[in-house]
Amino acid sequence: RSYSSPETEGQLLNSFVQYFGDSLERKIKRMPLIEETVLLGDSLLTLPVVIIGNGPSGICLSYLLSGYRPYLSPEAIHPNPILHTKLEEARHLSIVDQDLEYLSEGLEGRSSNPVAVLFDTLLHPDADFGYDYPSVLHWKLEQHNYIPHIVLGKGPPGGAWHSMEGSMLTISFGDWMELPGLTFKDWAASKRRNIKSDRVMPEEIACYYKHYVKVMGLQKNFRDNVYITSVSRLCRGKDDEDRNELNEDISTEHLEMEDGQKSLIKRNWEVRGYQRATDGSHVPFCLFAENVALATGTFDSPGRLQVEGEDFPFVLHSMSDFGAAISKGKLRGKADPVLIVGAGLTAADAVLCAYNNNIPVIHVFRRRVTDTSLIFKQLPKKLYPEYHKVYHMMCTQSHTVDSNLHSAYTSFPEHNVLSFKPEMKCVLQSASGLKKILKFSVALVLIGSHPNLFFLKDQGHSIGHHSNQPITCKGNPIEIDPYTYECTKEANLFALGPLVGDNFVRFLKGGALGIARCLAIRQKKKHELIESGDGGGDGVP
């Protein structure tokens, strides 16, 4: 198919090709959207970067790859004198062009990734100490730093924020949820929205992210209603590489076949999937990418107890399903309580939701109420009174205090669910081994969620800190280089956000900074090599 032929312009990438047609004219021989039956040997458009996921992680990375660069503001003085001295040393350079390891050294924060802590302290200096200092950065759009990329998401920009329960406040301040270059307060004021507190509803954040993509001019890089089915590495012979030097990857890996006779190069990624059209049909596509960035978050697969009866229709695994049941009146007038399993903030949201709708609650969780790792222990009471209300009930309205169930709420600390029975009963077991059977109207299992990386080989188990185990935000995040966010076990594959342990929007922005710097350096080296090979410029030999 000729990419300029009107009838071949697919619904996913036609406008993308048109936009980049001038800058990539020499590279394009066919559209990057192909039928599943097209031979992979055909020469297709190879993009420098494909970003999978259009939540705040993917949006922020797109912002930096689009050429936006952060500089130290002329009047800014960072409250950390050591960091400020380092920033002054290279004031003329953008942060992307500086040594991130040097700048990050000695900084401490609520992320295990040093660049995440660095970027956060530049955007929100001393935020963890309760200060509301302005950012020390100002942003410039530098078109020459643009790196062509595409962002693929299942829904509108904002990712999972569009599907979160809308009645609960965010755990973070609105200011901490914002992305570079557009403060949340300025956006709220422009929309004439009255933000009554520092914490806001997910619906507000979702609208902000969607508007951000538009106002920053990023929408040309975003494609919605896209579902990825596979991301795999291509291996080609060295003879094939000579035909497509412009797509040569600087950091290729040379592999030997078993017979040792022919050398293969492990190089570009093949990204396959489909876009859901307005009529519900699926339009398949195939893209080739030099680099792939995983920004899918962790909301794909709700955590499961893996116990008997968990698949019964009265056992739910999301707040949205619970909210729908309440709004439809399915729980109105029920004599039996709702069974809520979990001790995190989502479980607490469910308790509050039931409590506010006069639905009695049985609250089951494995930990002791005195466990210091409980999230409630980390939240100031003045800022999060509703969560401390739940925690107070967890401590004082336990079945151990009173053998009978309380009318509105009863907690079962240090209990595990053994099974669900078809007659809407649950078998619990205490830490001492004592079993108890309880009757309920509906069960809600809220024990976290996990990313679904089914499109990767072995579902991505090989790229975690613990090989051959599922990727989880806390227990087994993707193992990355701390300064480039490149997977240590897979070259040219990057990951950021919850996939690498950064659940808070405050810290996922650091991943975008690390990846943007890494790709900018490689892009520069590639151009120097090409110029050197062509005999032009003063490229590196």
Side-chain angles (χ1 to χ4, degrees), residues 288-310:
F288 293 135
E290 296 175 14
N291 304 279
V292 170
L294 302 174
T296 59
T298 62
F299 288 94
D300 289 323
S301 301
R304 297 179 65 86
L305 296 169
Q306 305 294 340
V307 299
E308 178 188 351
E310 193 172 3

Side-chain angles (χ1 to χ4, degrees), residues 51-59 151-160 222-224 295:
I51 302 170
I52 301 176
N54 64 354
S57 298
I59 295 173
V151 186
L152 306 177
K154 296 177 181 178
F222 281 71
R223 295 297 177 271
D224 306 341

Side-chain angles (χ1 to χ4, degrees), residues 210-221:
K210 190 174 181 180
H211 178 77
Y212 181 92
V213 169
K214 183 177 180 180
V215 75
M216 293 300 175
L218 309 179
Q219 68 269 28
K220 58 185 174 290
N221 299 313

Side-chain angles (χ1 to χ4, degrees), residues 48 80 91 331 354 357 442 450:
N80 182 324
R91 177 181 280 274
L331 302 177
N357 283 277
V442 66
H450 308 299

Side-chain angles (χ1 to χ4, degrees), residues 364-367 398-400 411-418 426-438:
V364 178
F365 47 96
R366 293 179 301 174
R367 301 182 190 178
S398 166
H399 83 291
T400 56
S411 70
F412 283 80
E414 298 183 84
H415 276 70
N416 287 312
V417 175
L418 293 185
C426 177
V427 180
L428 302 182
Q429 185 175 41
S430 69
S432 63
L434 186 66
K435 294 182 181 179
K436 192 176 185 71
I437 299 177
L438 299 175

Side-chain angles (χ1 to χ4, degrees), residues 151 173 199 273 294 305 326 409 437 496 513:
V151 186
F173 297 153
R199 293 166 61 207
L294 302 174
L305 296 169
I326 292 177
Y409 172 94
I437 299 177
L496 70 164
L513 175 62

Side-chain angles (χ1 to χ4, degrees), residues 236-239 253-257 259-265:
R236 296 185 180 181
K238 292 183 69 177
D239 293 340
E253 299 179 19
H254 293 269
L255 304 176
E256 293 291 327
M257 294 184 68
D259 58 10
Q261 294 179 354
K262 183 179 179 182
S263 177
L264 292 181
I265 295 178

Side-chain angles (χ1 to χ4, degrees), residues 263-381:
S263 177
L264 292 181
I265 295 178
K266 192 177 181 182
R267 58 179 304 271
N268 293 336
W269 295 95
E270 177 197 81
V271 180
R272 286 183 177 268
Y274 63 88
Q275 184 181 36
R276 192 179 63 223
T278 53
D279 61 1
S281 62
H282 293 175
V283 181
F285 69 88
C286 178
L287 279 172
F288 293 135
E290 296 175 14
N291 304 279
V292 170
L294 302 174
T296 59
T298 62
F299 288 94
D300 289 323
S301 301
R304 297 179 65 86
L305 296 169
Q306 305 294 340
V307 299
E308 178 188 351
E310 193 172 3
D311 291 326
F312 285 131
F314 50 79
V315 180
L316 310 179
H317 292 82
S318 74
M319 272 295 294
S320 58
D321 289 343
F322 184 49
I326 292 177
S327 63
K328 292 177 181 178
K330 292 183 177 181
L331 302 177
R332 190 175 299 125
K334 293 281 187 179
D336 296 320
V338 168
L339 175 70
I340 297 174
V341 184
L345 295 179
T346 307
D349 285 340
V351 170
L352 290 168
C353 185
Y355 192 87
N356 294 335
N357 283 277
N358 298 315
I359 301 172
V361 173
I362 294 174
H363 189 187
V364 178
F365 47 96
R366 293 179 301 174
R367 301 182 190 178
R368 297 181 180 180
V369 293
T370 55
D371 192 327
T372 55
S373 64
L374 284 174
I375 185 64
F376 310 101
K377 297 279 189 178
Q378 305 170 33
L379 302 178
K381 288 185 179 181

